[in-house]
Amino acid sequence: MLDRVLSPPTKGPLFGRDDAVAADWAVSRAPVAYPEAVAAMEARAAAIADGTAGELVWLLEHPPLYTAGVSAKAGDLLDAGRFPVFQSGRGGQFTYHGPGQRVAYVMLDLSRRQKDVRAFVAALEAWVIGALGRFGVAGEIRPGRVGVWVARTDPPREDKIAAIGVKLRRWVSFHGISLNVAPDLGHFSGIVPCGVTEHGVTSLADLGLPAMLETADAALLASFREVFGDVALTEPPI
């Protein structure tokens, strides 16, 4: 399915830049408050669109919180008093962020890559699937369901392991993906995650795999290079 959306080049990354300039790659080691992170992300995205800053992928953790995307339904917030709730300009519905979950804010200039939103989302899916593959996990996508899923056998079911929610402004992306490494999965019970009631959530730890953020970061970095191109390591924006 990914191949039907992406148009792989004859050589190089699937969704690389036309000039092959490396994107900045930054990792915050301490949790970052959501409002401050969003402000820094939006400022960087605006600077990228203005041509005064380069692309940035920013990996971080948030304290426990819920975010409501532009399609969020009020009834999907099941426990409004449990954690802070923030309105978000990204696509999608309610999601959870918290310790043990790797959030990657992706600020890329699609005017230097492909001006194709569907292809960009497919590239994000391919990135996550490639990272999971390094743990021996078969990440999958499903028609009508955004994100990356894992098929379980005992009992048979499908659980979501990564969420995707992005926004574009002047063809620069922001927000991005969240990968469940070792969060408290019970924290998802305060919402209907992404509006999906018939499926659950999982994590690398829940699958019995090594669940360190540093290991997940290495897998994400290797897969990003394959899908989007090279990176230059830098300091976080805040």
Side-chain angles (χ1 to χ4, degrees):
M1 180 174 179
L2 292 174
D3 290 342
R4 292 201 296 271
V5 178
L6 292 169
S7 298
T10 55
K11 59 181 180 178
L14 291 173
F15 205 82
R17 282 180 63 105
D18 55 11
D19 56 4
V21 170
D24 285 345
W25 182 278
V27 181
S28 291
R29 298 302 177 189
V32 181
Y34 187 77
E36 286 81 354
V38 171
M41 173 176 56
E42 292 196 347
R44 180 61 174 255
I48 294 169
D50 290 339
T52 59
E55 297 178 316
L56 172 65
V57 180
W58 181 18
L59 276 61
L60 51 80
E61 283 180 293
H62 285 307
L65 58 92
Y66 298 129
T67 65
V70 296
S71 301
K73 301 174 183 177
D76 286 347
L77 180 59
L78 306 178
D79 188 353
R82 189 170 189 181
F83 298 126
V85 180
F86 296 94
Q87 297 297 314
S88 174
R90 60 163 174 79
Q93 302 185 43
F94 277 102
T95 193
Y96 165 79
H97 295 314
Q101 182 192 72
R102 179 53 86 207
V103 174
Y105 288 134
V106 183
M107 292 152 269
L108 300 181
D109 185 357
L110 270 61
S111 67
R112 302 308 305 262
R113 295 176 181 269
Q114 298 178 41
K115 285 186 174 181
D116 187 325
V117 177
R118 290 181 68 245
F120 175 53
V121 173
L124 293 173
E125 292 168 340
W127 172 30
V128 174
I129 289 170
L132 291 172
R134 286 167 166 80
F135 291 94
V137 175
E140 302 175 352
I141 57 174
R142 292 290 182 266
R145 285 192 253 146
V146 178
V148 179
W149 301 78
V150 175
R152 312 294 294 274
T153 58
D154 189 20
R157 66 184 191 275
E158 293 179 347
D159 290 341
K160 192 171 193 175
I161 195 168
I164 296 174
V166 294
K167 185 176 178 64
L168 295 178
R169 186 178 295 151
R170 296 161 65 191
W171 287 108
V172 175
S173 67
F174 50 109
H175 296 283
I177 65 112
S178 58
L179 173 63
N180 295 333
V181 180
D184 183 338
L185 296 180
H187 289 177
F188 285 87
S189 64
I191 57 172
V192 177
C194 301
V196 178
T197 58
E198 63 269 31
H199 303 287
V201 291
T202 190
S203 67
L204 291 175
D206 185 49
L207 296 172
L209 296 165
M212 296 177 61
L213 288 175
E214 292 79 6
T215 308
D217 292 349
L220 286 166
L221 177 57
S223 182
F224 185 91
R225 284 178 163 140
E226 293 175 351
V227 177
F228 292 101
D230 205 4
V231 303
L233 303 183
T234 189
E235 293 298 314
I238 58 175

